[in-house]
Amino acid sequence: MQRNVKAAAAAAGFNPAPNGTAHAAGGSKPVRELFGKLADGTKVYRWSLANGGTRLKVLSYGGIVQSLEIPDRHGRHRNVSLGFDTIDDYVASSPYFGALIGRYGNRIAKGQFTLDGKSHQLSVNDGVNSLHGGTKGFDKHVWDVEGFTSGSDVGLVLHYTSIDGEMGYPGTLRAKVTYTLTRHGDWRVDYEATTDKATVVNLTSHVYWNLAGEGSGSIYDHELQIAAARYTPVDSGLIPTGELAKVAGTPFDFRRTKTVGRDIRVAHQQLLYGKGIDHNWALDKGITSKPQQVATLRDPSSGRTLRIATTEPGLQFYSGNFLDGTLVGTGGHIYRQGDALCLETQHFPDSPNHPSFPSTVLRPGQTYRTTTVHSFGA
């Protein structure tokens, strides 16, 4: 297998990394092009960058990863993230494909929380609950984007300022997100934010992964491992009950690698609530100052692997349950249930209403910082 990878890499102009994965010889300055316009005439740009064998395309609208191409065991590239070809599709019907999520990733019960004795009512957009920041979260705004090169790394710096009261959240929040492609082909995401009033914040990325390739069909044969002995069960509205339940003896036990689909149709109440998996894992490592590996995803057909390291305490695993065959993606294929999965590094859902969960409160003078690194191989 090593000889095949090296031969394919040489033919394609790539240098193999020590583990046999084909990597590009070096990155080049990110390139910007016009992708489209919003209804009000606002221009949306697409940035293209490549490094270490990974090719990334990002929109200024929502910081969206429109495509992410990585090589298989033979050095053949394919886009492994779901998305659309036009800005109109993203505006009209996107289920957060590839987007930056804020101010608060995941759900807040009834869109309500109390902070320092003051109650706040947020925008609700998921039944009676608030999901991913409300009706116009960070995924639906145009970010300021600048490209950069730094040594052997290339990347983008994205800025967005959320004004006091936007979607009901207190404080003016200044968010900065840095996308970096390293010389090894890793995609690193660094999140930062500051506020002028006490608020809550939980930023994440909502890439839909299919390592066999976008539009190739079900991910139920993908192999997944998650370093977590507990998860947060939910009620019928997918709001955590507050319990940290053991995964042992349940379909949620991914401590040892197993296929995504092995237990996904087991008659378990939590799977019925989510129409599959849509739950947060309480990672064994907790909050860490540096990213630590917490999950590994592998597609046996292509050999592609994704390893996720993060500083965050939680990981939301969503198995694409609500893809219903009404969306057509970048490859011209219809997306159906289970055609991709999300692995969102985060703080826990509804944390502002659960004092026992790690806090998501950010105060003036503090800087919110989290990091997640996506490493690819074959």
Side-chain angles (χ1 to χ4, degrees):
M1 192 60 67
Q2 187 86 351
R3 291 192 299 273
N4 290 342
V5 169
K6 288 183 177 180
F14 290 93
N15 295 328
N19 66 357
T21 302
H23 287 325
S28 57
K29 186 177 180 180
V31 176
R32 189 185 78 164
E33 61 183 324
L34 184 65
F35 184 70
K37 295 181 180 180
L38 302 181
D40 64 1
T42 302
K43 294 180 179 179
V44 174
Y45 293 97
R46 178 170 65 184
W47 291 78
S48 300
L49 53 161
N51 203 10
T54 300
R55 303 166 181 169
L56 182 65
K57 292 184 178 181
V58 175
L59 307 183
S60 57
Y61 178 79
I64 287 170
V65 172
Q66 192 220 5
S67 73
L68 194 155
E69 298 181 6
I70 57 175
D72 66 7
R73 61 169 61 94
H74 302 295
R76 297 174 299 202
H77 278 75
R78 191 160 179 184
N79 176 22
V80 296
S81 66
L82 271 56
F84 294 121
D85 280 328
T86 71
I87 188 60
D88 290 343
D89 285 333
Y90 281 106
V91 172
S93 55
S94 178
Y96 306 99
F97 283 155
L100 283 177
I101 302 297
R103 283 191 195 189
Y104 198 97
N106 223 303
R107 295 171 174 84
I108 294 181
K110 299 180 180 178
Q112 298 174 350
F113 69 93
T114 299
L115 180 58
D116 296 337
K118 183 176 181 180
S119 297
H120 298 276
Q121 178 63 59
L122 308 175
S123 164
V124 295
N125 61 327
D126 183 50
V128 299
N129 303 317
S130 183
L131 174 65
H132 294 331
T135 54
K136 193 174 183 181
F138 286 8
D139 60 295
K140 296 177 178 65
H141 288 275
V142 174
W143 292 60
D144 294 326
V145 184
E146 297 178 357
F148 72 85
T149 59
S150 177
S152 58
D153 296 339
V154 299
L156 305 172
V157 179
L158 303 95
H159 291 272
Y160 176 68
T161 298
S162 174
I163 63 173
D164 184 18
E166 184 174 280
M167 296 293 102
Y169 288 91
T172 294
L173 189 82
R174 301 183 184 278
K176 173 186 174 182
V177 180
T178 304
Y179 289 169
T180 303
L181 285 186
T182 74
R183 65 186 181 90
H184 299 296
D186 295 347
W187 174 43
R188 177 184 174 116
V189 186
D190 292 285
Y191 304 88
E192 297 181 29
T194 58
T195 185
D196 61 0
K197 292 181 182 178
T199 191
V200 296
V201 59
N202 186 27
L203 306 181
T204 190
S205 172
H206 210 294
V207 173
Y208 282 68
W209 301 101
N210 186 323
L211 297 184
E214 172 273 339
S216 64
S218 171
I219 46 78
Y220 289 163
D221 62 347
H222 279 36
E223 299 163 352
L224 178 64
Q225 183 269 334
I226 302 175
R230 295 180 183 272
Y231 77 108
T232 52
V234 296
D235 62 19
S236 60
L238 300 182
I239 298 294
T241 62
E243 179 187 6
L244 292 179
K246 293 181 180 180
V247 300
T250 77
F252 301 93
D253 192 350
F254 284 88
R255 291 174 296 173
R256 292 185 178 181
T257 301
K258 68 177 182 180
T259 61
V260 170
R262 194 185 82 177
D263 299 323
I264 205 165
R265 302 198 185 278
V266 171
H268 190 286
Q269 184 60 61
Q270 288 296 306
L271 295 179
L272 292 172
Y273 283 153
K275 295 181 173 59
I277 297 173
D278 193 1
H279 294 74
N280 168 70
W281 270 250
L283 299 171
D284 291 341
K285 71 173 190 65
I287 299 172
T288 48
S289 59
K290 295 181 179 180
Q292 293 187 16
Q293 185 169 324
V294 297
T296 301
L297 182 70
R298 180 178 182 271
D299 167 44
S301 65
S302 66
R304 293 187 184 95
T305 60
L306 164 63
R307 297 184 305 278
I308 295 179
T310 189
T311 59
E312 290 279 56
L315 180 75
Q316 183 82 10
F317 169 24
Y318 167 59
S319 57
N321 317 321
F322 299 106
L323 297 174
D324 60 3
T326 61
L327 303 177
V328 179
T330 50
H333 299 283
I334 293 173
Y335 295 150
R336 300 189 182 278
Q337 185 182 50
D339 278 359
L341 59 83
C342 302
L343 297 168
E344 305 155 61
T345 55
Q346 59 171 18
H347 270 57
F348 301 174
D350 201 34
S351 288
N353 295 310
H354 295 278
S356 63
F357 287 177
S359 176
T360 55
V361 174
L362 180 68
R363 299 186 181 278
Q366 298 177 334
T367 301
Y368 170 96
R369 289 188 177 94
T370 74
T371 298
T372 295
V373 180
H374 310 79
S375 301
F376 306 103

mmCIF file of all heavy atoms in Angstrom, residues 310-350:
data_model
loop_
_atom_site.group_PDB
_atom_site.id
_atom_site.type_symbol
_atom_site.label_atom_id
_atom_site.label_comp_id
_atom_site.label_asym_id
_atom_site.label_seq_id
_atom_site.Cartn_x
_atom_site.Cartn_y
_atom_site.Cartn_z
ATOM 1 N N THR A 310 -9.246 18.543 20.153
ATOM 2 C CA THR A 310 -9.904 19.778 20.565
ATOM 3 C C THR A 310 -9.562 20.130 22.002
ATOM 4 O O THR A 310 -9.121 19.275 22.773
ATOM 5 C CB THR A 310 -11.443 19.660 20.403
ATOM 6 O OG1 THR A 310 -12.053 20.931 20.614
ATOM 7 C CG2 THR A 310 -12.024 18.640 21.374
ATOM 8 N N THR A 311 -9.794 21.392 22.330
ATOM 9 C CA THR A 311 -9.699 21.847 23.716
ATOM 10 C C THR A 311 -11.055 21.778 24.412
ATOM 11 O O THR A 311 -11.138 21.941 25.627
ATOM 12 C CB THR A 311 -9.205 23.308 23.779
ATOM 13 O OG1 THR A 311 -10.125 24.147 23.048
ATOM 14 C CG2 THR A 311 -7.812 23.442 23.164
ATOM 15 N N GLU A 312 -12.104 21.536 23.649
ATOM 16 C CA GLU A 312 -13.474 21.597 24.148
ATOM 17 C C GLU A 312 -13.845 20.361 24.981
ATOM 18 O O GLU A 312 -13.257 19.287 24.805
ATOM 19 C CB GLU A 312 -14.452 21.725 22.980
ATOM 20 C CG GLU A 312 -14.415 23.072 22.271
ATOM 21 C CD GLU A 312 -15.194 24.124 22.997
ATOM 22 O OE1 GLU A 312 -14.913 24.371 24.190
ATOM 23 O OE2 GLU A 312 -16.103 24.714 22.392
ATOM 24 N N PRO A 313 -14.877 20.487 25.860
ATOM 25 C CA PRO A 313 -15.280 19.352 26.701
ATOM 26 C C PRO A 313 -16.315 18.439 26.083
ATOM 27 O O PRO A 313 -16.592 17.370 26.605
ATOM 28 C CB PRO A 313 -15.871 20.039 27.934
ATOM 29 C CG PRO A 313 -16.486 21.295 27.385
ATOM 30 C CD PRO A 313 -15.555 21.739 26.280
ATOM 31 N N GLY A 314 -16.928 18.868 24.958
ATOM 32 C CA GLY A 314 -18.024 18.087 24.382
ATOM 33 C C GLY A 314 -17.873 17.874 22.890
ATOM 34 O O GLY A 314 -17.148 18.599 22.201
ATOM 35 N N LEU A 315 -18.573 16.859 22.386
ATOM 36 C CA LEU A 315 -18.613 16.559 20.965
ATOM 37 C C LEU A 315 -20.037 16.160 20.607
ATOM 38 O O LEU A 315 -20.557 15.158 21.106
ATOM 39 C CB LEU A 315 -17.649 15.414 20.630
ATOM 40 C CG LEU A 315 -17.597 14.990 19.157
ATOM 41 C CD1 LEU A 315 -16.817 16.025 18.344
ATOM 42 C CD2 LEU A 315 -16.952 13.621 19.012
ATOM 43 N N GLN A 316 -20.664 16.947 19.738
ATOM 44 C CA GLN A 316 -22.000 16.618 19.254
ATOM 45 C C GLN A 316 -21.867 15.755 18.004
ATOM 46 O O GLN A 316 -21.327 16.188 16.983
ATOM 47 C CB GLN A 316 -22.802 17.878 18.925
ATOM 48 C CG GLN A 316 -24.231 17.610 18.476
ATOM 49 C CD GLN A 316 -25.194 17.374 19.629
ATOM 50 O OE1 GLN A 316 -24.852 17.593 20.785
ATOM 51 N NE2 GLN A 316 -26.417 16.978 19.326
ATOM 52 N N PHE A 317 -22.357 14.537 18.095
ATOM 53 C CA PHE A 317 -22.367 13.616 16.957
ATOM 54 C C PHE A 317 -23.779 13.574 16.410
ATOM 55 O O PHE A 317 -24.722 13.169 17.086
ATOM 56 C CB PHE A 317 -21.881 12.242 17.416
ATOM 57 C CG PHE A 317 -22.085 11.116 16.428
ATOM 58 C CD1 PHE A 317 -22.196 11.340 15.067
ATOM 59 C CD2 PHE A 317 -22.142 9.803 16.876
ATOM 60 C CE1 PHE A 317 -22.386 10.299 14.173
ATOM 61 C CE2 PHE A 317 -22.333 8.748 16.002
ATOM 62 C CZ PHE A 317 -22.458 8.999 14.643
ATOM 63 N N TYR A 318 -23.935 14.018 15.157
ATOM 64 C CA TYR A 318 -25.225 14.047 14.475
ATOM 65 C C TYR A 318 -25.111 13.202 13.219
ATOM 66 O O TYR A 318 -24.226 13.419 12.396
ATOM 67 C CB TYR A 318 -25.590 15.497 14.140
ATOM 68 C CG TYR A 318 -26.732 15.661 13.168
ATOM 69 C CD1 TYR A 318 -27.996 15.140 13.457
ATOM 70 C CD2 TYR A 318 -26.570 16.344 11.970
ATOM 71 C CE1 TYR A 318 -29.049 15.290 12.558
ATOM 72 C CE2 TYR A 318 -27.612 16.510 11.070
ATOM 73 C CZ TYR A 318 -28.842 15.972 11.369
ATOM 74 O OH TYR A 318 -29.883 16.118 10.479
ATOM 75 N N SER A 319 -25.991 12.235 13.076
ATOM 76 C CA SER A 319 -25.876 11.243 11.999
ATOM 77 C C SER A 319 -26.685 11.587 10.749
ATOM 78 O O SER A 319 -27.048 10.692 9.982
ATOM 79 C CB SER A 319 -26.270 9.858 12.518
ATOM 80 O OG SER A 319 -27.586 9.854 13.061
ATOM 81 N N GLY A 320 -26.953 12.875 10.521
ATOM 82 C CA GLY A 320 -27.623 13.287 9.288
ATOM 83 C C GLY A 320 -29.057 12.823 9.191
ATOM 84 O O GLY A 320 -29.565 12.554 8.098
ATOM 85 N N ASN A 321 -29.755 12.799 10.345
ATOM 86 C CA ASN A 321 -31.093 12.204 10.408
ATOM 87 C C ASN A 321 -32.154 12.987 9.637
ATOM 88 O O ASN A 321 -33.153 12.412 9.208
ATOM 89 C CB ASN A 321 -31.538 12.093 11.874
ATOM 90 C CG ASN A 321 -30.424 11.606 12.764
ATOM 91 O OD1 ASN A 321 -29.652 10.737 12.378
ATOM 92 N ND2 ASN A 321 -30.306 12.170 13.950
ATOM 93 N N PHE A 322 -31.940 14.297 9.486
ATOM 94 C CA PHE A 322 -32.993 15.122 8.892
ATOM 95 C C PHE A 322 -32.733 15.473 7.431
ATOM 96 O O PHE A 322 -33.448 16.280 6.849
ATOM 97 C CB PHE A 322 -33.189 16.388 9.733
ATOM 98 C CG PHE A 322 -33.615 16.078 11.155
ATOM 99 C CD1 PHE A 322 -32.718 16.203 12.204
ATOM 100 C CD2 PHE A 322 -34.891 15.616 11.432
ATOM 101 C CE1 PHE A 322 -33.091 15.897 13.509
ATOM 102 C CE2 PHE A 322 -35.277 15.300 12.726
ATOM 103 C CZ PHE A 322 -34.373 15.451 13.768
ATOM 104 N N LEU A 323 -31.708 14.862 6.837
ATOM 105 C CA LEU A 323 -31.550 14.960 5.386
ATOM 106 C C LEU A 323 -32.651 14.109 4.756
ATOM 107 O O LEU A 323 -32.723 12.911 4.979
ATOM 108 C CB LEU A 323 -30.169 14.446 4.968
ATOM 109 C CG LEU A 323 -28.974 15.225 5.509
ATOM 110 C CD1 LEU A 323 -27.672 14.515 5.146
ATOM 111 C CD2 LEU A 323 -28.968 16.653 4.989
ATOM 112 N N ASP A 324 -33.514 14.747 3.977
ATOM 113 C CA ASP A 324 -34.763 14.082 3.589
ATOM 114 C C ASP A 324 -34.957 13.904 2.094
ATOM 115 O O ASP A 324 -36.073 13.624 1.624
ATOM 116 C CB ASP A 324 -35.951 14.854 4.163
ATOM 117 C CG ASP A 324 -36.026 16.302 3.665
ATOM 118 O OD1 ASP A 324 -35.170 16.682 2.832
ATOM 119 O OD2 ASP A 324 -36.927 17.029 4.121
ATOM 120 N N GLY A 325 -33.885 14.071 1.313
ATOM 121 C CA GLY A 325 -34.023 13.866 -0.126
ATOM 122 C C GLY A 325 -34.531 15.070 -0.878
ATOM 123 O O GLY A 325 -34.836 14.962 -2.069
ATOM 124 N N THR A 326 -34.602 16.234 -0.223
ATOM 125 C CA THR A 326 -35.092 17.447 -0.900
ATOM 126 C C THR A 326 -33.960 18.378 -1.321
ATOM 127 O O THR A 326 -34.221 19.390 -1.973
ATOM 128 C CB THR A 326 -36.063 18.218 0.009
ATOM 129 O OG1 THR A 326 -35.374 18.627 1.203
ATOM 130 C CG2 THR A 326 -37.263 17.364 0.382
ATOM 131 N N LEU A 327 -32.709 18.054 -0.962
ATOM 132 C CA LEU A 327 -31.583 18.939 -1.261
ATOM 133 C C LEU A 327 -30.653 18.272 -2.261
ATOM 134 O O LEU A 327 -30.364 17.082 -2.174
ATOM 135 C CB LEU A 327 -30.805 19.268 0.014
ATOM 136 C CG LEU A 327 -31.613 19.907 1.154
ATOM 137 C CD1 LEU A 327 -30.725 20.099 2.381
ATOM 138 C CD2 LEU A 327 -32.208 21.233 0.710
ATOM 139 N N VAL A 328 -30.166 19.074 -3.223
ATOM 140 C CA VAL A 328 -29.206 18.595 -4.222
ATOM 141 C C VAL A 328 -27.887 19.306 -3.989
ATOM 142 O O VAL A 328 -27.827 20.537 -3.941
ATOM 143 C CB VAL A 328 -29.702 18.863 -5.655
ATOM 144 C CG1 VAL A 328 -28.672 18.386 -6.682
ATOM 145 C CG2 VAL A 328 -31.038 18.187 -5.887
ATOM 146 N N GLY A 329 -26.809 18.542 -3.842
ATOM 147 C CA GLY A 329 -25.531 19.104 -3.455
ATOM 148 C C GLY A 329 -24.606 19.440 -4.611
ATOM 149 O O GLY A 329 -24.988 19.398 -5.781
ATOM 150 N N THR A 330 -23.353 19.767 -4.242
ATOM 151 C CA THR A 330 -22.376 20.242 -5.215
ATOM 152 C C THR A 330 -22.078 19.233 -6.319
ATOM 153 O O THR A 330 -21.747 19.610 -7.439
ATOM 154 C CB THR A 330 -21.052 20.589 -4.503
ATOM 155 O OG1 THR A 330 -20.662 19.490 -3.669
ATOM 156 C CG2 THR A 330 -21.201 21.834 -3.649
ATOM 157 N N GLY A 331 -22.201 17.945 -6.019
ATOM 158 C CA GLY A 331 -21.923 16.920 -7.021
ATOM 159 C C GLY A 331 -23.128 16.538 -7.856
ATOM 160 O O GLY A 331 -23.046 15.618 -8.680
ATOM 161 N N GLY A 332 -24.257 17.225 -7.630
ATOM 162 C CA GLY A 332 -25.459 16.926 -8.390
ATOM 163 C C GLY A 332 -26.270 15.767 -7.852
ATOM 164 O O GLY A 332 -27.193 15.283 -8.517
ATOM 165 N N HIS A 333 -25.938 15.315 -6.645
ATOM 166 C CA HIS A 333 -26.646 14.192 -6.032
ATOM 167 C C HIS A 333 -27.618 14.673 -4.962
ATOM 168 O O HIS A 333 -27.383 15.678 -4.277
ATOM 169 C CB HIS A 333 -25.650 13.218 -5.396
ATOM 170 C CG HIS A 333 -24.693 12.617 -6.367
ATOM 171 N ND1 HIS A 333 -25.030 11.604 -7.223
ATOM 172 C CD2 HIS A 333 -23.386 12.894 -6.611
ATOM 173 C CE1 HIS A 333 -23.988 11.276 -7.969
ATOM 174 N NE2 HIS A 333 -22.979 12.047 -7.615
ATOM 175 N N ILE A 334 -28.703 13.930 -4.778
ATOM 176 C CA ILE A 334 -29.670 14.199 -3.728
ATOM 177 C C ILE A 334 -29.127 13.688 -2.401
ATOM 178 O O ILE A 334 -28.592 12.577 -2.327
ATOM 179 C CB ILE A 334 -31.022 13.534 -4.054
ATOM 180 C CG1 ILE A 334 -31.661 14.203 -5.271
ATOM 181 C CG2 ILE A 334 -31.969 13.593 -2.848
ATOM 182 C CD1 ILE A 334 -32.912 13.496 -5.760
ATOM 183 N N TYR A 335 -29.261 14.501 -1.357
ATOM 184 C CA TYR A 335 -28.819 14.093 -0.028
ATOM 185 C C TYR A 335 -29.978 13.456 0.733
ATOM 186 O O TYR A 335 -31.027 14.072 0.922
ATOM 187 C CB TYR A 335 -28.311 15.295 0.761
ATOM 188 C CG TYR A 335 -27.070 15.960 0.196
ATOM 189 C CD1 TYR A 335 -26.853 17.324 0.375
ATOM 190 C CD2 TYR A 335 -26.108 15.232 -0.497
ATOM 191 C CE1 TYR A 335 -25.710 17.933 -0.111
ATOM 192 C CE2 TYR A 335 -24.963 15.832 -0.995
ATOM 193 C CZ TYR A 335 -24.775 17.196 -0.799
ATOM 194 O OH TYR A 335 -23.639 17.793 -1.290
ATOM 195 N N ARG A 336 -29.747 12.227 1.201
ATOM 196 C CA ARG A 336 -30.766 11.497 1.948
ATOM 197 C C ARG A 336 -30.285 11.198 3.360
ATOM 198 O O ARG A 336 -29.110 11.379 3.684
ATOM 199 C CB ARG A 336 -31.129 10.200 1.224
ATOM 200 C CG ARG A 336 -31.689 10.415 -0.174
ATOM 201 C CD ARG A 336 -32.229 9.129 -0.774
ATOM 202 N NE ARG A 336 -32.729 9.333 -2.130
ATOM 203 C CZ ARG A 336 -33.929 9.808 -2.420
ATOM 204 N NH1 ARG A 336 -34.771 10.114 -1.436
ATOM 205 N NH2 ARG A 336 -34.309 9.975 -3.678
ATOM 206 N N GLN A 337 -31.192 10.732 4.201
ATOM 207 C CA GLN A 337 -30.875 10.438 5.592
ATOM 208 C C GLN A 337 -29.638 9.552 5.689
ATOM 209 O O GLN A 337 -29.530 8.537 5.016
ATOM 210 C CB GLN A 337 -32.057 9.744 6.280
ATOM 211 C CG GLN A 337 -31.848 9.526 7.772
ATOM 212 C CD GLN A 337 -33.019 8.804 8.406
ATOM 213 O OE1 GLN A 337 -33.460 7.770 7.922
ATOM 214 N NE2 GLN A 337 -33.532 9.359 9.501
ATOM 215 N N GLY A 338 -28.704 9.981 6.547
ATOM 216 C CA GLY A 338 -27.501 9.194 6.772
ATOM 217 C C GLY A 338 -26.425 9.358 5.719
ATOM 218 O O GLY A 338 -25.446 8.611 5.715
ATOM 219 N N ASP A 339 -26.559 10.349 4.829
ATOM 220 C CA ASP A 339 -25.559 10.543 3.781
ATOM 221 C C ASP A 339 -24.334 11.317 4.266
ATOM 222 O O ASP A 339 -23.388 11.523 3.489
ATOM 223 C CB ASP A 339 -26.171 11.265 2.577
ATOM 224 C CG ASP A 339 -26.936 10.315 1.656
ATOM 225 O OD1 ASP A 339 -26.967 9.111 1.955
ATOM 226 O OD2 ASP A 339 -27.499 10.784 0.649
ATOM 227 N N ALA A 340 -24.345 11.771 5.508
ATOM 228 C CA ALA A 340 -23.200 12.460 6.100
ATOM 229 C C ALA A 340 -23.411 12.506 7.601
ATOM 230 O O ALA A 340 -24.510 12.227 8.109
ATOM 231 C CB ALA A 340 -23.048 13.871 5.546
ATOM 232 N N LEU A 341 -22.358 12.875 8.315
ATOM 233 C CA LEU A 341 -22.464 13.041 9.760
ATOM 234 C C LEU A 341 -21.684 14.285 10.177
ATOM 235 O O LEU A 341 -20.787 14.749 9.468
ATOM 236 C CB LEU A 341 -21.958 11.808 10.501
ATOM 237 C CG LEU A 341 -20.510 11.353 10.300
ATOM 238 C CD1 LEU A 341 -19.544 12.131 11.184
ATOM 239 C CD2 LEU A 341 -20.377 9.859 10.581
ATOM 240 N N CYS A 342 -22.038 14.811 11.334
ATOM 241 C CA CYS A 342 -21.353 15.966 11.906
ATOM 242 C C CYS A 342 -20.694 15.560 13.221
ATOM 243 O O CYS A 342 -21.259 14.769 13.984
ATOM 244 C CB CYS A 342 -22.322 17.110 12.170
ATOM 245 S SG CYS A 342 -23.213 17.686 10.709
ATOM 246 N N LEU A 343 -19.535 16.112 13.466
ATOM 247 C CA LEU A 343 -18.805 15.920 14.715
ATOM 248 C C LEU A 343 -18.411 17.308 15.205
ATOM 249 O O LEU A 343 -17.326 17.807 14.887
ATOM 250 C CB LEU A 343 -17.582 15.027 14.503
ATOM 251 C CG LEU A 343 -17.868 13.592 14.053
ATOM 252 C CD1 LEU A 343 -16.592 12.891 13.600
ATOM 253 C CD2 LEU A 343 -18.545 12.791 15.178
ATOM 254 N N GLU A 344 -19.309 17.929 15.975
ATOM 255 C CA GLU A 344 -19.160 19.330 16.359
ATOM 256 C C GLU A 344 -18.525 19.438 17.749
ATOM 257 O O GLU A 344 -19.141 19.078 18.751
ATOM 258 C CB GLU A 344 -20.533 20.011 16.364
ATOM 259 C CG GLU A 344 -21.286 19.894 15.052
ATOM 260 C CD GLU A 344 -22.790 20.000 15.245
ATOM 261 O OE1 GLU A 344 -23.254 21.062 15.723
ATOM 262 O OE2 GLU A 344 -23.495 19.008 14.959
ATOM 263 N N THR A 345 -17.300 19.943 17.802
ATOM 264 C CA THR A 345 -16.650 20.170 19.087
ATOM 265 C C THR A 345 -17.281 21.389 19.738
ATOM 266 O O THR A 345 -17.515 22.402 19.085
ATOM 267 C CB THR A 345 -15.146 20.376 18.899
ATOM 268 O OG1 THR A 345 -14.923 21.439 17.962
ATOM 269 C CG2 THR A 345 -14.493 19.109 18.377
ATOM 270 N N GLN A 346 -17.553 21.312 21.053
ATOM 271 C CA GLN A 346 -18.402 22.326 21.661
ATOM 272 C C GLN A 346 -18.394 22.223 23.182
ATOM 273 O O GLN A 346 -17.839 21.284 23.753
ATOM 274 C CB GLN A 346 -19.841 22.107 21.195
ATOM 275 C CG GLN A 346 -20.361 20.716 21.560
ATOM 276 C CD GLN A 346 -21.853 20.513 21.322
ATOM 277 O OE1 GLN A 346 -22.491 21.252 20.599
ATOM 278 N NE2 GLN A 346 -22.395 19.510 21.953
ATOM 279 N N HIS A 347 -19.024 23.224 23.834
ATOM 280 C CA HIS A 347 -19.517 23.050 25.190
ATOM 281 C C HIS A 347 -20.887 22.377 25.084
ATOM 282 O O HIS A 347 -21.444 22.243 24.004
ATOM 283 C CB HIS A 347 -19.614 24.395 25.907
ATOM 284 C CG HIS A 347 -18.346 24.770 26.631
ATOM 285 N ND1 HIS A 347 -17.140 24.862 25.989
ATOM 286 C CD2 HIS A 347 -18.121 25.061 27.937
ATOM 287 C CE1 HIS A 347 -16.207 25.198 26.865
ATOM 288 N NE2 HIS A 347 -16.766 25.310 28.051
ATOM 289 N N PHE A 348 -21.430 21.962 26.200
ATOM 290 C CA PHE A 348 -22.646 21.161 26.167
ATOM 291 C C PHE A 348 -23.858 21.998 25.762
ATOM 292 O O PHE A 348 -23.937 23.193 26.061
ATOM 293 C CB PHE A 348 -22.915 20.530 27.531
ATOM 294 C CG PHE A 348 -21.820 19.635 28.048
ATOM 295 C CD1 PHE A 348 -21.905 19.111 29.333
ATOM 296 C CD2 PHE A 348 -20.722 19.301 27.278
ATOM 297 C CE1 PHE A 348 -20.914 18.275 29.828
ATOM 298 C CE2 PHE A 348 -19.721 18.475 27.754
ATOM 299 C CZ PHE A 348 -19.819 17.961 29.037
ATOM 300 N N PRO A 349 -24.856 21.371 25.112
ATOM 301 C CA PRO A 349 -26.105 22.070 24.808
ATOM 302 C C PRO A 349 -26.786 22.542 26.095
ATOM 303 O O PRO A 349 -26.688 21.887 27.136
ATOM 304 C CB PRO A 349 -26.954 20.996 24.117
ATOM 305 C CG PRO A 349 -25.998 19.937 23.686
ATOM 306 C CD PRO A 349 -24.868 19.964 24.660
ATOM 307 N N ASP A 350 -27.452 23.676 26.006
ATOM 308 C CA ASP A 350 -28.271 24.217 27.103
ATOM 309 C C ASP A 350 -27.475 24.426 28.391
ATOM 310 O O ASP A 350 -28.040 24.435 29.480
ATOM 311 C CB ASP A 350 -29.481 23.304 27.370
ATOM 312 C CG ASP A 350 -30.614 24.035 28.109
ATOM 313 O OD1 ASP A 350 -30.794 25.246 27.867
ATOM 314 O OD2 ASP A 350 -31.308 23.392 28.919
#
